[in-house]
Structures are given as C-alpha cells and as structure tokens.
Amino acid sequence: MEERARSCLLRSKATLEQDIKASYLMDHMVSDGILTNDEESRVLGKPTRREQAAALLEVLLRKDNRAYISFYNALIRESYGDLANLLHSDLPLLSPEGERSFADGVSPSGNHLDMYELVFKGGLNEMLEFCVFILVQVILSEGGVPQRPVVFVSRPALLNLIRERLYRLQNTPGWVTVFGMAGSGKSVIAAEAVRDHALIKECFPGGVHWLSVGQCERADLLVRMQSLCFRLEQGQSSEASQRPPCSVEEAKERLRFLMLRRFPRSLLILDDVWDSSTLRSFDIQCRVLLTTRNRGLADSVSGTSFEVPVESGLDEEKGLEILALYVNGKPQKLPEQARSIVSECKGSPLVVSLIGALLREFPDRWSYYLRQLQKKQFKRIRKSSSYDYEALDQAMDASLQVLEPEHRDLYRDLSIMQNDVKVPAKVLSVLWDLELEEVEDVLQELVNKSLLFRDCNQRPYHYYLHDLQLDFLIEQNRDQIAELHKKLVRQYQQFYNERPPSSGDIDCSYWYRFLPYHMAKAGLSKFSFQELYSLMFSLDWVKEKAQFMGSAHLINDYVEYGEILDKENSEVRLQFQEFLSLNGHHLEQKPFPDVVQLALSQPACSEVYRQALMQAQKRASRGQLYMDWVNKNNQDSLSRLVMHPHQGSVYYAGFSKDGSKIASCGANKALRVFKTTSGEKLLELQAHDEDILCCAFSPDDRYIATCSSDRKVKLWSVEQGTLIREFGEEHEEQINHCQFTNTGRRVLLATCSNDKFTNTKLWNPNKPTSQNTMFGHMEPVNHCCFSPNDAYLATSSSDGTLKLFEVSSANEWKSIDVNSFFPESDDEIKAIVKCSTWSADGSWIICAARNAVFVFDVKTSDMLLEMKTSRLSTVQYCHACPNSSLLAVALSHYTVELWNFETSKKKAECNGHLSWVHCVQFSPDGSFLLSSSDDQTIRLWETDRVHTSSAAALKRDSDVLFSQSDVTIVAPDSRNRLQVRTGLAGAVVFESEELPSRIRCTCISRNASLVALGTENGTVQVLEVPSGKTSQMLTGHTRTVHHCQFTDDGETLITSSEDTTVRVWKWRTGECLVLEGHKEPVRKFQLLNKSTSSHLFSWSFDGTVKVWDLNRGQMLQDLECHKGAVLSCDVSSDGRLFATTSADRTAKVYSSASWEMTFLLKGHEDCVRSCRFSWDNKRLATGDDNGEIRLWSMLDGALLKICSRDTKDSMDSFHGGWVTDLHFSPDNGVLVSTGGYIKWWSVETGEALQTFYTMGANLKKMHVSADFTTFVTVDSIGILYVLKKVEGGSV
C-alpha cells in the first residue's frame, strides 16, 4: 500500500474504530476478493465492535492499494459518507475540480493505475455518484453546514417538502421557514435538505452558507454577522478584504453587497432564530432558509415566504431505529424497556437522541432512564454534544422566557390540560375571563412560537400541547396544579350559573367531558370534593352529558372517580353507575330517550329513582306523561353492562387476554374496541368491505385479527388503530372464524372458511402467506380453536364432524363423527357442528350441534356427556370457563344458558337479549361473561350473580282484572304452573302444581274468584281462587286452546282452539255448545255486546269472520273478509261497527247492521297485526309488523295520522317489533301501543308522548285499567310490569 494511503488510515484510525461496524464492511470486501473467510472470522472473533474495527484496520494495513480502494468503496455502500470523506484525499480523484477530467478518464494526480483500479472495483457509475457526493460535502463544509449526525433517521416526506419549497426560490429571493417546537429536529432536517446535488446545482450554485443564530443580544448578533462576512470574503483579493463591520446595520449592508454581487445564487441558512428584530437584520433580498420555534417570524421581513411545519412526533418504529443505532443493535433485539422509552419520549427526536446518547455510554441503564422519563425528571436527562442546552428542561424553559410576563402566566394555566386533548378557544376564554377575540390573539402568538399547536381541521380551531410541553408545565407548576383546576371550576360556575352549556355553545363538549376531571383534580378539601359529588350525583348532569357524549363516558367517570365519590356515598355511586350500565344502550338511540322515565325503572330505594320521581311529579303537574313501574323491586338485574356498539347484528365479541378490553364486530363492517369496565370506546375502524364475522386479540393484546365474508384476513394495531398486514387472499369463500394461539411462545393465527377443501389455515402474523393448510373437512368449517397448550387445533364443520389437528405438523390427529349422535339425521342433511371449546386442562373437548352440546374425552374420543337445550332452539356458540366447570351456551331463542359440563346440569339462564345470541365468552379469570346478539347489543354478565334455573319467569298468556285500586293478574310461568298475583306489587296469592301439558291461555272471572286455563293438549280447567281447587276439568277440544274468556256473570266460559272450533261451556255442569264452521285454527273471538253476551265474533287463519248466536249456537254471518289470515278484530263501543286486520296488509271496517264492508283501509307495508276503536267511535287505530301505527277517520275512512319514529330502531322496526295491542284513553286523546316496548301517543298530533323500555321484548298484549292510569304486561323474558301513571304533586 502506498505510504500516503497507509498514513491516511493511521491518521483516521481512532475515528474509524469508533464509528464503523466491521461486519457490514467485510461483506463487500470478501466479495471483492480482498479479504479471505479466515480473515473475516478472526476479525469477528473479537468481543466488541470497536475491537473488531481495530482488527480490520490492522489487516488492511498489511495489504496493497486494492484493499484501500475496496475499504473505501465499502464505506460508501454502507452510507459512511463522512468517513469516506476522510480518505478521499488519498484517492486518484481528490478535488471538485477533478470531476470533469475524471469523467474523461484522466486523474489530476496522473496515477492511472490507481484510477483503473478504482473504476474497475467500484464501477464507473458508483464513482461518478461518489464524486457528486464529495462535491456536495465540500460545498456544505465550506459553507459551515453541520455534518449529518452519527445517528440519523431519514424523514423523506419532510425532506421532500422542504426541498420543494427551496426550489421555489430558484429564480427569486425569498424565505423558507422551517418551524417546530424545541427538539423536533428542525436543524438536522434543514441541513439534510440541502445535502442534495441537484438542488445545489440548479438553485444554489453559488453555495450554501450556514449561520447559527440562537438567542443573542445585539452585540452577540454583530459577532455572528461579522463571522459570516469574514467567511464570505475568504478568497477575495487583499484589496477587497475590509475591516470587520462595526455595527449590525453596517454588517447588514456588507452582507447585502456580498450576497447580491459575489454570491447572487446562493442560500443563506439561519438556524434557530428567536425574534423578528434579529431576522430583520438579514432582510437583504437573498434566498434564506430559517429554522425557528416562532412560525410568524417571516411576517416581519419582505419578500416571498413559504412555511414548512416540523411535526414533533416520531412513530414507534423510527424511535426504536434511533435507539438501535446508538447502541449498535437491531430494533427487534432491544430490551423490553425500549418501547416504553420511545412511548415516554412522546415521539420527540431530541429526547430519543438524548436517551440514546446516554445509553451508548451506559448500556445497562435502560430501566433507570425509563424511570426518569416516567417521573418527568427532565433535569437528569442531560448531555447531547449537538444541542445547545445542557438538559431537556432548559430547552423547554428557553421558549417560555421570550413570552411577555402576562402571557407567561396565561401559558402556565395550560398545565391543567390533558394529554392529547384539543381545547376550543372558548374554554380558555372562560378560564382567563377574556373576550374570545383577545384569547385567539394570545393563542396565535403561542402557536407562532411553537409553544402550542392548533388543529385547523376543526371549526372553530382547537388547541393542544405536545405531551412533552405539558409534562414540562406540570413539573414546573406542580405545587399550583390544584389551584389552577379550582380556578377553572370557579370560572365555569360563574359563566354558566344560569344554565348548563347547550349544543349552541362551541365549548359544550369539552365541559361535559372534562368538568368532572377538573373537579376531581381541584379536590384538596372536603368543600372541593363536594362540587364533584353534587355534579356526579345529579340526574340532570347524567341527562345532559349522556345526550352529548353517550353513556360510556359517564360510566367511565363513575369508575375513574369512584374512590373519591365513595367517600361521600358509595351506594349512590353504585346506583348511578348501575343505572347507566343497564340503560346505556337506550341512551345511544335517536331520538334521545326521556332519562327521567328510564330512571323511574330503578329500585325505589335508589337515589336515581328518588330524583326521577320528583322530576316526574313536577312535570306531570304541567301535563307530561310518566309511568312508574310499581312492582319493580321484585326484579333483580342480571346484566352488569349493556352496550350498543354497532348498527347491525353483533356476530362476535371477545375479551383481551388481560380482560381490560372487549373487541366486537358485526354486520356494519366495523371493528370496535372498548373498555370492559365502562363500555367507553377506545378504537373504531371500518375494517372490511363486508360483514366481519370474527375478531381475536393476539396473546400480548397488541394486535387484533379480523376475518370477513369478503374473504380477507387482516391484522390491526390496537394502540395505533392502523392496518399492520392484510394476509393473502387464500380463502375463496367467506372466513367464519379466526383465533390466535393462547401463549406467546410461538404465535400463530388460525382461520377457517366455507371453502370445500382448503378451509383451515395457519398463519405466521409476520408473513403475508399462510404457513400451513389443514386438510380433512369437505364442507365449510364454522369454528376453530387451539387447545390450552396450543398443541392441537379443533375444527367444527358442516360435514357433521369435529376434528383435532396437530399444530406442529398440520396433520389430522382425531376425527369425531358428531352427526352419528343424531339418529334422526339422514345422509343428505347432516348435523352442523357449530363450534367447540376446550376444558381448562385440555383433557375434554366440547362441541355444539343443533340443540345439543357434547363432551368428549380427548384421548379416547369417547362421548362423556350430552346436554340438551330446548327443542325449539339451536345452539349458536359455546365457551368453557377457564377456571371452572361452567359452560356458557348461546341460543337462537334469545337466551344464554350456563351448564355444569361435569354433571350435565343447567345452572343458570341469562335473559335480556331481544334476538338470536351469536356468541358467548368468559373473561380470562372467569368472573364475567359477555354475549353478543342480532339485537345489536353486547351484554356483560357477572358469572356469580346470574339467576339460577330455580327462578321461574311468567309467560305472556296472561289476563288481568282491575277493581277499584287493586289489580289481579293470572299467568302461567316457565315451569308450566298457573300463578295468580294481586296488588300493585304483584304478590303471589296462588301457584298451581306443574301441569303435564303446556298452558296456552288464561282468564279470570269478574269477581276474581275463578280462573280458567287452556292447554296444548286441548283440555280446559276452571280453578277456584285463592284455594286453587280444580272446580272443573273440561275436555272436548282436540288441539291447542288459544283463547278463553268468562262471560260477565262467570257462569259461561268460551274457548277457541286450533281444532277450528269455538266452544261455549256451562262449565259447572260441563254442558258444551260447539260452534263449527271455520276451516283453519280460530285465532280469537270477541263478544259483540258484553252486557247481553248474545252475539260473538270469531276470526281465523282461514281469512273469515263469523258471527254466532250464543243462545242457539247458530252461525248468523259468514264473512270472507281477507285473502290472508285475519290477525285481529275489534268492535266499536256502540256495536255498530267492527274492524278486521290481516296478513294481506289491509284493514277493513264493516257495519254490524248490514254486514257490508264500509271502508277498505290500505297503506300498511306489512301484516296489520292489531286494531282498536276509540271510545267515541270516531277513529280506528291499526298497527303493523313494521312497527307503524295509523289512525283512520270512521266518518270517511281517511287516514288521519301516522304514529311512528323518524327512523327504525335496533330491531329494524319503528316499534321494536310487531305492534301487538292498542288502547285509547277514555277521553280519546292518548293511544297506548305495545311492540318491542310500550309507547303512548298523542292522538291529535301523532307524536310520541312517552316510551317505556321493558327488559325483554315482543310484548303480546297490554291490559289497561278503565281510568287509563294502570297498565299491565309481561315481556318475552317473563318479567311482569305493573305501570302506574305518575300524578302531579310533591313526594
């Protein structure tokens, strides 16, 4: 090796040893044939990176020129440009002047051999690129532009934006302002932007000149300007050289002359400019790039101006890359604290670099520096050779010192802001007690100085602090934080002392969301906390906040501030929290429900109920309608939380592995993640183009996988809400289920689909293609799940089998023919295996098919137990508790059942859903159970609190007798016993033995001494009350008895049946009159004149209405009313008219005198299910299966009003389901209707007056007292409601 090359290596040895990574360079040198494999091994055998670099240099010094050239080229290829620059003076091409001659094949040094070797080894294109690189380096070095930091991570989008702005200065003087907060990387990115040959050649061939300005007095500024003048005058003749300028003004003129005459197409970079007076000293009609924290500086100078904001946040991967470069490692191999450090650095390039530099010297201090960041110990985060400030807190404080004192005080008040919360100017106007325009001026100054950020995407503008700025302010003002929060609360109370914020106030959402937070933070005394108690224990606050923010935010407040609130009254806190948890899904509806009416359903001992009753009585005095559920104290709450996360069916919901979050998906194509404690939304994504059928958390809860009927599988970041990966479309049909392995040892994702062959796949989350396909099923696979130890995957298929696959080999291990356990199945229609679940120890596998659940021994494949649910329902899903023998089963008849799968006994039944339940899942610790349904809700149940199967629910086939202020209710229960209850509390006075045949109808006599029931096998019983003695057993009907009714004197009982007959019984003697004539089941009947009871109407599925003479048993009229089934009939109070409704979507009105049709009423778009005449016979109300109610005039048959919601509800109806019953008030001014819930309507306007939401749905009938003040019904889950109209007055 030539002596000059050897000397250069020796001179640069210390620098090279410190910075190079030998392993990267040696790959190239081995390829060039310069190093042998043995030499590479010896170098890599050294224990440290620095020792490896030293050993490589020792090897090179013993070799020839080619080794020098190969080493040099390797530096270039590995982006060690600055180090290559140290060696370039000893290469054949040494100077910028040699660029052209080198391109022509001539070296200024005349060393043609070295030239040949350089070109031969590096390639002509590479050498040309290198020459360009060297030229740029020389230009920037002469101009004083800082070199690239040792650790540098590119930000290409920002670089391109700055360069694009600089290109606009190509033909005209002007300013490019790069602005951002302290530590955002402005200087580094500005220097990197001009490290571009094309930019310099085309726009700034005169050079680039860098001047660091900083915070400086006028004298210091003069020194900096003198230095710049001296640098620009270098190379001029001695005559041209002048004495240094003596003043800033003289220096300005000198620079103007130099830039216009000597360097007309050059760029002046002013780094870290703080104030406009300093900047005006450089207003010399040249091209300027300036970095600053003050956005508005360029407004003070003349010329064209462009802005480039520098965002303060690096993403996690960039932050990890910086740390890895500092410690000479790879991002994926950094310690576990690395991600937390990047997170605590809040994306600041400065802070990440400060920490990285410290870790390079103290590589064992990861935990220590993480603790300092978490404690906001900015003073201890020191040392950065490339930064002007000793520690981070000094950099932050420097920005504050340039503010005017009064603005500094206002800025201090921002210490009470929250991370990532954007605040409207109106809030600060209230806080500072200033006019809004004054506040906006102050905020503009803070934004200009990069002390505050403005979100221009919202109107009016919202403002926020960077996390580091907020942390700094909190640390600086720690002793005053409580007083500052108290100041905000006082200002709010003073400003809104007459009324709360309304939708017209631009700041209302902020107050509703964060006022409890500020009150809690202000609570240094009992008095201060009293403010929070008064707010949070107020039904008015609940109503206002729920209307703006939804219930989840409110629930979260009660959870978050529970410790404080419990000091005042833990019972009240729990009462408010439970009220919101169970009614939150109603509060998501539009129109917004009446919160007072909802609260009247709370227990009488509840503070929520007490406040609601007071408000209801006050409003009732003004004519508003409210209903008190007077027997509600008999009802226990099953659900702990009810959520309404999606507009559409919820197909799947599951817990995170730590149980703190729930993810759900469904028909609205969205993925949603929310808190388990409150239902507060954490993330919502439109994840797929079609229904999302399943979602699953990864073992570390950082990711969620989704699969869809669009045949796609996607992986999402939970924290960022971004798409990490879309896996290859290897499934050709819809993907039904996805699940991760249970542990993080070897993370895999399983998916299953409707494909015929390739229907089960395993995926490595880090790769876009599948790792394995499991073959065996020839029909769709509906579900898959890993065993607890992840050794096996269970698959449930429509081919009637359950298969177990080995995960490691993807081979089929066992196959269980579940279809064989259904003897009634044929070869064409197999039993579909819906899903499977493992016992906690993995020894049993449990699967569901049709209405049964089977338990199998994994080792032997023997069937151990069978659990049969209702024959009328199918099992949709099942899941085994991870720490007990409980099994949750989701059923199509709206129920969740809990079974003990070791004893095959049902333990509990969870009712509340209004439609099919698609999914159930236990929490990781087994304490909670969640269920998701077609009714668009997710219900969270406490496992230990659900009802046992001993609790009996009522059936909807009820009858009610009102007598003065008392009420008697007769109804069958879920155990097929007849119950008689009395009083407003619904106390049980009689309960029969369990009957062998299902009770299908009941009735009670007018004197309440007798009850009758009809059964599924056609028998009718008459019992005495309260003794329960059977007075008569009546047989004759051959099929189900659908309806029964006593005449007014109680001596005659009338029944109708599925056997197409109506029977009139003299029940004491057993004498029976059979009315025959209908061809299909008789739906119901009604007496034409109840006082004489001589004529009876009956209607049937055959579309006819028949009129009977009860005395003679003769058919008087046979009216073919409809083409479809007659669903209801009503007779006017004067007996002159009767109406029929039908499945043919019409209603008809007939004259009782002529038996001719008077009006044909058209307009309903679905089956007309119910009808009722008003008491004055002027109107007829009809209700249909779409939830719509129509009011018709009985004078001319004209449509008067349509009673309906503006939009359909969660059950795709205007009434939560079919309108099954209608009743007018005695004054004909109010109409009550039943459907999925109960509604009261104004007959005059057609508008809803009140809504009562029952816990179940599908109400069958409503019993109304004569004075229209008491209402009785039973819902689909067997809950009895005795509702009493609230009267005006005081409690």
Side-chain angles (χ1 to χ4, degrees), residues 539-575:
L539 192 61
D540 289 331
W541 172 256
V542 167
K543 181 191 72 173
E544 297 294 340
K545 179 161 183 173
Q547 193 162 2
F548 279 101
M549 310 295 301
S551 61
H553 281 284
L554 270 164
I555 298 170
N556 192 66
D557 286 346
Y558 289 103
V559 173
E560 186 168 347
Y561 309 120
E563 188 175 343
I564 298 173
L565 297 173
D566 287 351
K567 293 176 182 177
E568 174 70 7
N569 194 319
S570 60
E571 287 188 12
V572 172
R573 193 266 300 174
L574 287 170
Q575 289 163 2

Side-chain angles (χ1 to χ4, degrees), residues 182-183 186 213-216 272 274 293 350 354 378 381-402:
K186 302 181 294 294
V213 181
Q215 284 181 289
C216 56
D272 197 24
W274 281 76
R293 304 182 192 187
L350 167 63
L354 286 174
F378 299 126
I381 303 172
R382 298 174 175 273
K383 195 175 189 307
S384 176
S385 59
S386 61
Y387 202 60
D388 292 343
Y389 301 99
E390 186 77 10
L392 181 60
D393 62 320
Q394 294 180 9
M396 298 283 189
D397 190 57
S399 297
L400 300 186
Q401 298 311 314
V402 300

Side-chain angles (χ1 to χ4, degrees), residues 886-888 896-900 905-908 922 929 946:
L886 280 180
L887 178 75
V896 175
E897 293 180 351
L898 289 182
W899 291 71
N900 184 319
K905 291 185 178 180
K906 186 165 79 168
K907 304 295 293 182
F922 283 100
L929 173 71
V946 294

Side-chain angles (χ1 to χ4, degrees), residues 846-1114:
I846 304 162
C847 72
R850 294 187 178 172
N851 67 328
V853 179
F854 300 94
V855 182
F856 296 95
D857 184 281
V858 172
K859 287 184 179 179
T860 65
S861 300
D862 294 338
M863 198 262 281
L864 304 176
L865 291 170
E866 178 182 4
M867 292 165 274
K868 281 276 182 119
T869 63
S870 168
R871 62 181 176 82
L872 302 175
S873 185
T874 59
V875 179
Q876 300 299 303
Y877 204 91
C878 63
H879 188 244
C881 184
N883 55 11
S884 74
S885 58
L886 280 180
L887 178 75
V889 179
L891 299 169
S892 61
H893 71 261
Y894 315 170
T895 302
V896 175
E897 293 180 351
L898 289 182
W899 291 71
N900 184 319
F901 62 79
E902 292 181 349
T903 62
S904 189
K905 291 185 178 180
K906 186 165 79 168
K907 304 295 293 182
E909 192 171 282
C910 307
N911 295 303
H913 282 296
L914 310 181
S915 189
W916 284 32
V917 184
H918 285 291
C919 173
V920 285
Q921 191 180 77
F922 283 100
S923 62
D925 63 1
S927 61
F928 295 114
L929 173 71
L930 65 79
S931 55
S932 60
S933 167
D934 269 347
D935 66 9
Q936 305 184 14
T937 68
I938 294 172
R939 287 180 177 261
L940 190 67
W941 318 80
E942 287 189 61
T943 308
D944 293 337
R945 288 185 59 193
V946 294
H947 286 304
T948 64
S949 55
S950 61
L954 294 182
K955 295 295 184 179
R956 293 171 294 169
D957 306 301
S958 60
D959 193 21
V960 175
L961 177 67
F962 296 98
S963 56
Q964 297 178 351
S965 61
D966 201 8
V967 57
T968 304
I969 302 137
V970 56
D973 66 18
S974 56
R975 294 188 177 181
N976 208 40
R977 301 172 302 189
L978 187 70
Q979 288 192 18
V980 179
R981 301 188 181 191
T982 187
L984 296 180
V988 178
V989 296
F990 164 71
E991 187 175 84
S992 73
E993 296 295 322
E994 188 172 320
L995 300 183
S997 181
R998 182 183 172 190
I999 303 171
R1000 295 301 302 270
C1001 62
T1002 60
C1003 66
I1004 187 168
S1005 64
R1006 287 183 66 86
N1007 62 6
S1009 63
L1010 299 168
V1011 294
L1013 60 89
T1015 64
E1016 207 163 66
N1017 66 4
T1019 61
V1020 178
Q1021 289 188 44
V1022 180
L1023 298 92
E1024 295 178 2
V1025 176
S1027 68
K1029 177 184 176 183
T1030 301
S1031 295
Q1032 192 63 267
M1033 180 78 74
L1034 305 174
T1035 58
H1037 284 298
T1038 58
R1039 299 180 69 180
T1040 301
V1041 180
H1042 281 306
H1043 186 57
C1044 59
Q1045 182 181 336
F1046 284 103
T1047 55
D1048 287 350
D1049 60 8
E1051 296 302 314
T1052 303
L1053 177 66
I1054 308 170
T1055 58
S1056 62
S1057 168
E1058 200 170 296
D1059 65 7
T1060 73
T1061 69
V1062 178
R1063 290 176 178 259
V1064 183
W1065 308 83
K1066 297 296 183 182
W1067 65 268
R1068 295 188 187 276
T1069 64
E1071 180 184 348
C1072 177
L1073 186 65
V1074 181
L1075 308 181
E1076 296 180 295
H1078 285 293
K1079 297 178 181 178
E1080 291 189 38
V1082 180
R1083 183 168 177 82
K1084 206 173 180 183
F1085 58 83
Q1086 183 173 341
L1087 294 170
L1088 179 61
N1089 190 322
K1090 293 183 180 180
S1091 59
T1092 61
S1093 304
S1094 58
H1095 289 173
L1096 178 139
F1097 282 80
S1098 63
W1099 57 94
S1100 164
F1101 287 95
D1102 61 13
T1104 68
V1105 172
K1106 302 186 188 302
V1107 186
W1108 309 86
D1109 184 328
L1110 293 185
N1111 295 326
R1112 294 179 295 169
Q1114 291 182 344

